[in-house]
Amino acid sequence: MTTVRTPREVFDELLRTTIDGDWDGLLDLYAADVVIEMPFAPPGVPVISDGPTFHTRIKQMASARPWNFDAADVLRVHETADPEVIIAEFTFHGTVAATGAPLSLSYAMVITVRDGQIVHSRDYGNPLTTSAALGRLPELVAAFQAERVA
């Protein structure tokens, strides 16, 4: 008898695969028709991604590997009235691949899991932290300024 992973188990696996750099394992956690929302997405990253767009972005990240994570601190995982939905607050810790500089990226995610896979996720991260760690803060500011003018 096969048991389907709970939302918490899927989240725990998401942390593990991300820390391990197991990109295929990470992608297996997401349904083919997943919808990912990133309300604070930096320029160049879509605010809403469908499954194929998300899979392509993850594969590109895997080949470039801008950082290496070695740990995650889970602040809280909130159960909700909907058994398919959890809210997770956590921080990944690691290093910037190009420089070896320390890196900590904090997130809050609202994750919907159905049949053991993520079908919807709303991800809140800080693009300033990521851009600063990668030495791209001036590019981020310029892109936001350009968007405001357009």
Side-chain angles (χ1 to χ4, degrees):
M1 179 165 137
T2 303
T3 58
V4 176
R5 290 179 293 206
T6 67
R8 175 59 194 251
E9 290 168 335
V10 171
F11 169 69
D12 289 343
E13 189 69 5
L14 175 103
L15 294 179
R16 187 199 62 75
T17 56
T18 301
I19 291 168
D20 291 350
D22 178 3
W23 301 103
D24 291 331
L26 178 70
L27 287 173
D28 287 344
L29 298 174
Y30 290 86
D33 60 349
V34 67
V35 174
I36 305 290
E37 296 180 60
M38 297 178 66
F40 303 120
V45 175
V47 172
I48 299 176
S49 298
D50 60 12
T53 302
F54 174 72
H55 278 72
T56 298
R57 192 171 86 237
I58 294 298
K59 287 179 183 180
Q60 289 170 342
M61 232 172 60
S63 65
R65 189 103 192 220
W67 45 67
N68 298 302
F69 295 124
D70 53 37
D73 289 327
V74 177
L75 292 118
R76 290 177 194 87
V77 176
H78 305 273
E79 303 292 328
T80 69
D82 183 337
E84 295 183 332
V85 178
I86 61 170
I87 301 166
E89 301 174 75
F90 60 99
T91 300
F92 282 120
H93 302 283
T95 56
V96 177
T99 65
L103 174 68
S104 291
L105 300 177
S106 295
Y107 297 93
M109 292 176 70
V110 181
I111 305 167
T112 304
V113 174
R114 189 169 301 127
D115 298 326
Q117 288 188 303
I118 299 169
V119 295
H120 185 264
S121 181
R122 190 170 300 113
D123 305 351
Y124 296 91
N126 185 344
L128 292 172
T129 304
T130 306
S131 295
L134 297 176
R136 296 184 187 154
L137 198 50
E139 295 169 39
L140 178 72
V141 171
F144 275 116
Q145 288 173 331
E147 284 182 5
R148 292 187 72 178
V149 173

